[in-house]
Every structure is written in C-alpha cells, then in structure tokens.
Amino acid sequence: MSNRNYIFTSESVTEGHPDKICDQISDAILDAILAKEARLETENYISPTKVPAKLDNVRCACETFVTTGTVVVAGEIRTQAYVDVQKIVRETLRRIGYDRAKYGFDCDTCGVINMIHEQSPDIARGVDESFDVQEGGSVDELDLIGAGDQGMMFGYASDETDALMPMPIYLAQRMAQRLAEVRKSGEISYLRPDGKTQVSVRYEDDEPVEVTAVVISTQHDPIVEDMALVREDMISCVIKPVLDEVGIDWEDADIYVNPTGRFVVGGPMGDTGLTGRKIVVDTYGGMGRHGGGAFSGKDCTKVDRSAAYAARWVAKNIVAAGLARRCEVQLAYAIGVAHPLSVMVDTFDTASVDEAVITQAVKEVFDLRPGAIIRDLKLRRPIFAKTAAYGHFGRDDEDFTWEACDRTEELLAAVKRLSA
C-alpha cells in the first residue's frame, strides 16, 4: 500500500437547494405510487374479483424541474394507482420550508405542470421478460426480471469513519443536515431553506488527521446584515457540534461563512433545479467513482439505483469483515439481462487476502440480479423520499437496508474456503 499525504474536499447541499428540491419531489412521487400500489395489492388479495395489482409492475422514472414560481414534473410511469402529483409537489415544498411568499418561492402560489406519460413498451419489455435465459440452465422467477438499463454502478466503503464513509463527505452531509435542523427548530431564526456546505480534510499516510477548511453558504433573512453574527452562529451551532462529535482536529481550520457577504435570494428564485444534478453529493463526495446514473425518481428495476445500493452493501460488508480497509465495487449490466456482466472489487492495496478471492466470495455470497437485489434490500417500500437529501449512504436508518453489515460472516467463510 502506498501511503500518501493530501487534502481532499467534498461538498453537500441542504434540502432547500433547487436541485435537492427536485430530487425530493421525484422520490415523493415514487413513494406515493409504491404506497398506493401496496394498498391496492392488499385490497385485491381480500377481494379477488378486483383487477389484480402487483408491485412488480410499477415502473417510475420521474424528473422534476424548478425555476422561479414554477415546478415541472415529467417522466415515464407505469402504475395502476392514481396519485395527486400537484398535491405531492406542494406538500414536499411545505415540508422543506418553502411555505411563505417572502422566501421568493412558496408551495401555495407556485405553478405545477404535470407532463408525466406512460413508460415506453420497448423499455418495459426488457424488464418484464428478461432475455437472460441460459440454454440448458435452470431458470427461476428472478431470471425473468431484467435490468432496466445498461450501465455501470459503483459502491464504496472506507474504515475512516464509523459509518464506513469517507470523512469529507460524511462531515459535509452532517453539517448540511444540521443546518436544516437549527433552521426548522428555530434555534437560528433568520435562516432560509437554501444552503451549501464544504469540508476539506488533510490526510497523512491515507488517514484523515485534520479539517483544514469549512465553507458554509446559507440563505438568510434580508434583515440580517451582520455577517459576523452569522459566522458565530454557524461555528457554534453547526460546525462545532458536528466536528466535535467525530473528534477530528479543526482548531486551525479556515472557516468561510457566506463568502460573498450576503445570501438572500436563494432556492428556485436564485437558480433553477433539476433532478439528478447532485449525484456526487448523493454518493461519496468524489472519493469513490460514480457510474453516471442518478437515483431519485427511479423505481428499483432501474439498476442506476438498485445496483448502486447493492454495490455499497457489498463494499461495506467487505470492509466491515476486515477483508480490506478501503473497497470499491463496480457492477455492470445490460438492459433486459438479469445477471451482471461484470463484478469488480478494488481494495486499493488494503486487502488482507487476495482480491481475486474476495471477488469470487462476493459472487457466491451476494445475488446481484435486479430482482434479487430488490428482494434482499426490500426496495418495494415507499422509503425513498428521505434518501433524496443528505446522502443515500452512511445514514443510520433501518430503512437504509444497504447499510447493513449482515453478510460479513458469510463472506469470511467463503474467503476461508476459497483460500484453502
């Protein structure tokens, strides 16, 4: 292993950032469809005379665009359930905090344009009836659920935090989350929903040793003109609680709060927003690679989402099992094909055993077909709106099933057997 000294920086944004508004609306619509379909499925089980509903038939690729005074929702959706898109949009904006006209954008007066249409039958065909049927081989129902698109997905884990996440993005996410908490609780009354955080961490021999810089840009009430007050509040209520909890040195860090000196015009009034434009914020802050596909608004037949969750699950279990200190997993799929085309494990020379053995153990322990990922990680539940802000990974929440270190014993057993 080569030991390096460097500074690495990651950023995050609050739930009131225009792009994150869009992610949350898209995922709120997905959640509403999944919840409604689940109720229909239960009712149809009780009353078999009704048209049968099945959660496996749900397809959702929902995109949102916001600008001053307007929300546009578009995409391809297949569902038997009716959901009130306009109501979902307004409720999501209200929850985020855009509930007053003086903020420049509010849930009650903005226009909502619904341009959703039905999913292409060509795309649906590849998912509904997989082409991945091996001649002469056994086939089960999970072989018949093909990947919703081609592409490659990455998962990453590192032992530098308890959450097995890179330190810079972990700190940036927690500060963004804390920024929203003190706004919503009223602890800092002048804050508005939009905001960004950024953290630079110095590494020695590939270990995080010190925070060298923190940047916080937060939207505020125009009545606030004293930036020294804002700086003091950010340090005492946001920066210090997060960094002290982790226990990393930051006494000599450069602190930048609203570097332009004023941040009043924000949210969709200050910038347009679009679903899927914060994919590095959603994942590992640039420390691990990203395949390119966004998560929000997509049901989990889309491997952009489900396989990225599975890759994180695999990487985290490898690190939690002590097989490596850092790990990146790449999966690749073809549309309409169930089995991944490739599985790659990269431990950056930190593995305790041969990488080829770890890779083979992963293939034995984890079923990485889309249907199996959906089954094992319970991805048919309406849990996605809360993933759409503050990161999809490194969160302590029982609904984030891909964060479970539940395959470590199986991995260790497989590695031991394969190494014998």
Side-chain angles (χ1 to χ4, degrees):
M1 176 181 174
S2 61
N3 294 324
R4 302 175 300 149
N5 300 330
Y6 53 91
I7 294 175
F8 197 92
T9 301
S10 295
E11 72 160 350
S12 182
V13 297
T14 66
E15 62 203 65
H17 184 279
D19 293 331
K20 274 291 143 207
I21 293 172
C22 295
D23 287 343
Q24 290 167 93
I25 289 172
S26 295
D27 271 338
I29 291 170
L30 170 61
D31 277 357
I33 291 170
L34 291 173
K36 192 73 171 287
E37 286 273 1
R39 288 196 294 273
L40 285 174
E41 195 169 71
T42 301
E43 291 170 0
N44 292 333
Y45 178 76
I46 296 171
S47 305
T49 57
K50 294 184 178 180
V51 176
K54 193 179 181 192
L55 280 170
D56 287 341
N57 290 329
V58 172
R59 301 289 179 266
C60 183
C62 181
E63 312 288 343
T64 304
F65 168 82
V66 298
T67 188
T68 304
T70 305
V71 179
V72 179
V73 181
E76 300 179 340
I77 294 179
R78 185 178 75 183
T79 178
Q80 297 181 78
Y82 167 78
V83 296
D84 188 336
V85 170
Q86 184 162 151
K87 182 179 179 182
I88 293 167
V89 169
R90 297 190 189 283
E91 287 179 346
T92 302
L93 293 172
R94 190 182 305 279
R95 175 184 57 76
I96 292 170
Y98 287 105
D99 55 358
R100 298 184 184 183
K102 67 179 182 179
Y103 294 171
F105 185 88
D106 78 284
C107 57
D108 295 315
T109 64
C110 68
V112 178
I113 301 172
N114 181 358
M115 301 180 68
I116 291 171
H117 60 87
E118 189 176 0
Q119 185 190 42
S120 161
D122 293 341
I123 296 174
R125 181 169 176 258
V127 181
D128 296 342
E129 186 177 351
S130 168
F131 302 115
D132 191 14
V133 179
Q134 306 291 329
E135 184 176 353
S138 61
V139 177
D140 63 37
E141 63 179 8
L142 296 180
D143 285 317
L144 302 179
I145 302 175
D149 202 352
Q150 70 177 49
M152 67 287 188
M153 298 80 208
F154 290 92
Y156 182 85
S158 168
D159 67 357
E160 61 195 68
T161 62
D162 290 343
L164 302 188
M165 287 288 287
M167 182 70 78
I169 187 62
Y170 180 79
L171 294 177
Q173 298 283 27
R174 300 293 76 80
M175 285 185 193
Q177 197 169 29
R178 177 69 182 161
L179 195 55
E181 288 171 359
V182 297
R183 169 178 62 86
K184 290 182 173 181
S185 70
E187 185 175 349
I188 304 180
S189 60
Y190 56 79
L191 295 182
R192 297 284 170 79
D194 198 358
K196 302 180 81 171
T197 61
Q198 183 173 291
V199 179
S200 301
V201 175
R202 183 169 64 86
Y203 286 74
E204 289 184 358
D205 296 334
D206 284 315
E207 296 288 338
V209 297
E210 177 191 23
V211 171
T212 61
V214 175
V215 183
I216 292 184
S217 296
T218 180
Q219 186 185 14
H220 58 84
D221 190 310
I223 199 172
V224 177
E225 297 181 353
D226 183 1
M227 287 300 111
L229 170 65
V230 179
R231 175 186 170 87
E232 181 181 333
D233 286 344
M234 291 300 101
I235 292 174
S236 63
C237 298
V238 177
I239 297 171
K240 188 176 188 300
V242 170
L243 296 182
D244 285 353
E245 183 178 343
V246 173
I248 191 169
D249 182 20
W250 63 281
E251 289 183 0
D252 296 325
D254 295 321
I255 307 296
Y256 301 90
V257 175
N258 286 10
T260 64
R262 180 179 172 87
F263 185 3
V264 172
V265 179
M269 187 178 182
D271 195 5
T272 59
L274 189 65
T275 299
R277 224 165 36 178
K278 286 290 177 284
I279 56 176
V280 174
V281 170
D282 285 341
T283 53
Y284 309 101
M287 184 73 80
R289 285 174 283 193
H290 194 292
F295 300 157
S296 290
K298 296 178 181 177
D299 78 90
C300 282
T301 63
K302 279 75 173 173
V303 283
D304 281 341
R305 183 168 217 158
S306 56
Y309 289 176
R312 161 65 175 173
W313 183 36
V314 173
K316 189 172 183 182
N317 273 270
I318 289 170
V319 173
L323 295 171
R325 297 193 61 192
R326 294 172 61 205
C327 181
E328 184 177 73
V329 174
Q330 186 202 53
L331 306 175
Y333 293 85
I335 187 169
V337 178
H339 290 272
L341 305 182
S342 66
V343 178
M344 184 207 73
V345 175
D346 185 355
T347 62
F348 308 95
D349 297 324
T350 68
S352 58
V353 297
D354 191 287
E355 274 186 2
V357 172
I358 297 175
T359 301
Q360 186 58 39
V362 165
K363 292 177 180 179
E364 292 186 10
V365 171
F366 294 90
D367 188 340
L368 296 171
R369 294 173 294 171
I373 294 170
I374 291 168
R375 175 198 65 198
D376 294 342
L377 297 182
K378 302 178 178 62
L379 298 179
R380 288 296 185 190
R381 298 169 299 142
I383 60 169
F384 299 107
K386 61 183 172 181
T387 70
Y390 312 118
H392 292 247
F393 308 121
R395 307 265 296 273
D396 184 14
D397 188 309
E398 63 181 9
D399 286 332
F400 287 56
T401 50
W402 49 93
E403 291 295 308
C405 298
D406 55 353
R407 298 288 176 94
T408 55
E409 295 301 322
E410 292 177 68
L411 273 175
L412 289 169
V415 165
K416 182 178 180 180
R417 178 174 50 76
L418 292 165
S419 301

